[in-house]
Amino acid sequence: MVFWEGYVSDEVMGTFAPIVVYWLYAGFFQLLPSLDNYRLHTRKEEDIKNTVPLSSVIKGVLLQQLVQAVVAHILFLVTSSSGLVETEIQPSLIVQGVQIIIAMFVMDTWQYFVHRYMHLNKFLYRHIHSQHHKLVVPYAIGALYNHPLEGLLLDTVGGAISFLVSGMTARTAVIFFCFAVVKTVDDHCGLWLPGNLFHMFFQNNTAYHDIHHQLHGLKYNFSQPFFPIWDKLLGTHMPYDLVKRPEGGFEARISKKD
């Protein structure tokens, strides 16, 4: 039993809930006070290094989410047998948990190889993936700021493949996609906050992905959004040390040990 049962279908929730969750969680970070003692980069660095204004970032994210919603609607339309507010029989919680874990590994695999290829192919990097790297200093709202083609190929198609391979229902997909969105936003938030559960349970976290956004880390730490497995297996893992800056905040520096 879920709170939306009887009001909207799982398919509708699977289409729109991740978008709503994105703006709620990213908006939460945007509305936080300065928190300079927990930032991975100073505000001055953000102003100097980032070459695209917030308004353009918001427009870019909204465009990607529009495409995402259309693809999700088509995907659910093709795979679902339920009606507007009807629900299909759900598997046990254990089965759903296994399906989510499978989907996590499938998404990680898809995103690692597509993401890495977009860096290795100079044409794709220059004309497509470099848009995301205009945010040298990542922040939450910019987590899905991508070229529309990259947003479709990397995130939307990757999510669809994860859904299909795992065999999850639309209801399980609501949980998985919302979790993936929250994790992606958190990885780009630029803050190392005490008590952050993602930092405790995932090696692939805010600082790990911050390394990738820096010039010296562009060819490393491709893994996203969950585990660094492929980076470690294929030699693209760049470990880091989190160093406290004298003026406040933290800095993720390349570690001399792996």
Side-chain angles (χ1 to χ4, degrees):
M1 183 73 178
V2 289
F3 70 86
W4 64 83
E5 189 169 337
Y7 298 97
V8 295
S9 67
D10 295 335
E11 290 76 15
V12 172
M13 285 297 292
T15 300
F16 295 105
I19 297 174
V20 174
V21 168
Y22 181 94
W23 289 107
L24 287 175
Y25 197 52
F28 162 76
F29 281 110
Q30 190 70 19
L31 294 174
L32 285 175
S34 60
L35 298 178
D36 290 334
N37 287 333
Y38 301 102
R39 291 176 62 92
L40 295 178
H41 297 272
T42 65
R43 292 189 176 275
K44 183 178 180 181
E45 281 183 283
E46 181 176 325
D47 293 337
I48 294 174
K49 293 182 178 181
N50 288 354
T51 60
V52 60
L54 177 61
S55 59
S56 296
V57 170
I58 292 174
K59 292 175 185 176
V61 172
L62 288 172
L63 176 59
Q64 174 167 332
Q65 290 176 329
L66 174 61
V67 175
Q68 171 187 310
V70 171
V71 173
H73 177 71
I74 295 172
L75 179 68
F76 289 135
L77 194 64
V78 171
T79 60
S80 176
S81 59
S82 65
L84 183 62
V85 294
E86 297 173 354
T87 55
E88 57 186 312
I89 298 174
Q90 302 298 315
S92 67
L93 291 178
I94 293 177
V95 171
Q96 291 182 66
V98 171
Q99 289 173 333
I100 288 175
I101 292 173
I102 291 173
M104 291 168 74
F105 280 102
V106 171
M107 180 174 282
D108 270 4
T109 301
W110 175 266
Q111 293 213 3
Y112 175 86
F113 287 101
V114 175
H115 184 196
R116 182 176 180 178
Y117 186 68
M118 284 189 172
H119 275 269
L120 295 178
N121 186 298
K122 293 182 179 180
F123 178 85
L124 290 179
Y125 183 81
R126 184 180 302 113
H127 296 284
I128 296 177
H129 188 55
S130 62
Q131 178 169 323
H132 183 69
H133 281 277
K134 289 180 179 179
L135 298 180
V136 178
V137 178
Y139 54 81
I141 285 180
L144 291 183
Y145 177 64
N146 300 307
H147 186 283
L149 183 59
E150 177 181 351
L152 174 64
L153 183 61
L154 188 66
D155 297 315
T156 305
V157 173
I161 293 174
S162 302
F163 170 77
L164 293 170
V165 172
S166 67
M168 63 175 59
T169 64
R171 179 169 299 183
T172 306
V174 175
I175 299 169
F176 171 66
F177 289 141
C178 286
F179 179 68
V181 161
V182 171
K183 178 65 170 61
T184 301
V185 170
D186 202 90
D187 288 348
H188 289 82
C189 73
L191 295 170
W192 193 262
L193 295 173
N196 187 318
L197 294 178
F198 289 120
H199 298 167
M200 296 179 186
F201 293 103
F202 289 89
Q203 292 180 6
N204 189 343
N205 51 41
T206 310
Y208 186 91
H209 193 65
D210 180 78
I211 289 290
H212 175 71
H213 270 260
Q214 307 313 306
L215 183 61
H216 55 262
L218 281 177
K219 295 183 178 180
Y220 298 91
N221 293 8
F222 296 112
S223 293
Q224 57 184 46
F226 300 111
F227 309 110
I229 295 173
W230 288 111
D231 276 323
K232 291 186 175 182
L233 287 175
L234 299 179
T236 55
H237 176 250
M238 180 177 282
Y240 65 89
D241 292 317
L242 206 59
V243 180
K244 184 78 173 177
R245 290 196 305 264
E247 66 274 21
F250 297 91
E251 180 182 353
R253 295 180 181 173
I254 300 173
S255 176
K256 294 182 180 180
K257 60 182 185 298
D258 194 346

